[in-house]
Amino acid sequence: MADDLKIGFLGAGKMASALAKGFLNAGLTTPANLIGGDIVAGARDAFNVSTGARTTESNPEVCAAANILVLAVKPNQVTETLEAVSSSLTKNHLLLSIAAGVPLERLEGQLPPGSRVIRVMPNTPALVSASASAYALGANATAADGELAQKLLGAIGIAFQVKEYLLDAVTGLSGSGPAYVYLTIEALSDGGVAAGLPRDIATKLAAQTVLGAAKMVLETGQHPGVLKDMVTSPGGTTIEGLHELEQAGTRAAFISAVRAATEKSRMLGQG
């Protein structure tokens, strides 16, 4: 597969670099078969350092070098970017869009008739092959295109094909979710420091605790509530901590965060 997949990034920012590095780590492609396009020199330089791949400020050049294109620009840059590459697209190109909130109908409307498009929502842990992604097929994308998207995204984490209307919720949960978890790790570390632990030890303990708890959910298949109860002894320390979290509205805050980010994704798509 590494020889067949020539992947070009229309936009070479942090998410593009994370995906590209993830694809390389998974052996799906090689630096020689990658190219990143961006008008910002700093983004091109960072992409090159991260991946070893060549870069260009010309998006049509990206199209000429790749058969899989990853649209990795901000939502307000989508129209301009697609206008620049529309005449360069052929029936051999598959476009994967990771532009948050931008619907398939809008993407397809700015491309030549028959263009094959898949809308994708990955997240930054792609960099360490631990991404949580979802994708939806456009009107002209084939079953084989869907299988290819599953291979690409599945090689850097877990991936699910969903109906397009669910992608805003995916954005609010797993797309934005790493930031929520980083905040949680930071807060747990702060708590450890407040209780007397050195900062470096507190942060490592917090991060490993989150990693271990996540692996328990994924690998045991048990409901998080069941696993929570397994840690919570009658009259013990954990129930005291949980009581404080419930009093602070932590559960409701996470729900509200996902809903707010989901709504923002919808708003971006309308723009």
Side-chain angles (χ1 to χ4, degrees):
M1 183 182 286
D3 293 331
D4 297 333
L5 299 183
K6 293 178 170 45
I7 305 174
F9 288 84
L10 305 173
K14 293 178 181 178
M15 192 65 234
S17 293
L19 286 173
K21 192 68 179 292
F23 295 154
L24 289 170
N25 290 342
L28 294 178
T29 190
T30 64
N33 286 336
L34 275 178
I35 182 170
D38 206 297
I39 60 173
V40 178
R44 295 197 303 272
D45 292 343
F47 187 91
N48 172 260
V49 169
S50 175
T51 66
R54 68 188 176 101
T55 62
T56 177
E57 59 182 325
S58 167
N59 281 330
E61 185 178 339
V62 173
C63 295
N67 53 10
I68 298 172
L69 302 173
V70 181
L71 180 63
V73 297
K74 291 180 171 58
N76 62 359
Q77 298 172 317
V78 165
T79 296
E80 177 184 2
T81 303
L82 293 183
E83 285 178 349
V85 302
S86 182
S87 61
S88 302
L89 259 64
T90 71
K91 63 180 181 179
N92 295 320
H93 284 110
L94 172 63
L95 179 75
L96 306 180
S97 172
I98 65 170
V102 181
L104 286 164
E105 184 179 16
R106 179 178 160 196
L107 295 167
E108 292 166 341
Q110 296 174 353
L111 294 172
S115 293
R116 294 149 52 216
V117 182
I118 296 178
R119 183 179 162 193
V120 179
M121 177 45 59
N123 62 8
T124 52
L127 185 62
V128 292
S129 298
S131 182
S133 307
Y135 61 95
L137 304 188
N140 301 302
T142 66
D145 292 334
E147 291 172 5
L148 177 56
Q150 182 68 43
K151 283 184 180 179
L152 285 168
L153 300 170
I156 55 173
I158 62 173
F160 301 95
Q161 183 176 341
V162 299
K163 299 292 186 181
E164 186 185 11
Y165 76 90
L166 292 173
L167 284 178
D168 291 316
V170 173
T171 302
L173 176 55
S174 57
S176 300
Y180 314 153
V181 178
Y182 300 143
L183 183 66
T184 301
I185 292 171
E186 184 181 33
L188 288 171
S189 176
D190 285 345
V193 170
L197 288 171
R199 171 64 71 181
D200 60 335
I201 294 176
T203 299
K204 287 185 174 67
L205 286 172
Q208 183 66 29
T209 298
V210 171
L211 174 63
K215 284 176 70 67
M216 287 285 286
V217 172
L218 291 173
E219 295 183 11
T220 69
Q222 295 194 60
H223 190 281
V226 172
L227 295 171
K228 178 205 69 178
D229 288 348
M230 289 168 58
V231 187
T232 310
S233 303
T237 59
T238 304
I239 193 62
E240 290 298 320
L242 288 170
H243 177 65
E244 291 296 321
L245 291 172
E246 293 292 0
Q247 279 196 317
T250 303
R251 184 191 302 262
F254 276 114
I255 293 171
S256 295
V258 173
R259 292 178 69 179
T262 298
E263 185 57 33
K264 182 64 174 182
S265 178
R266 292 193 182 109
M267 291 173 61
L268 290 172
Q270 292 170 1

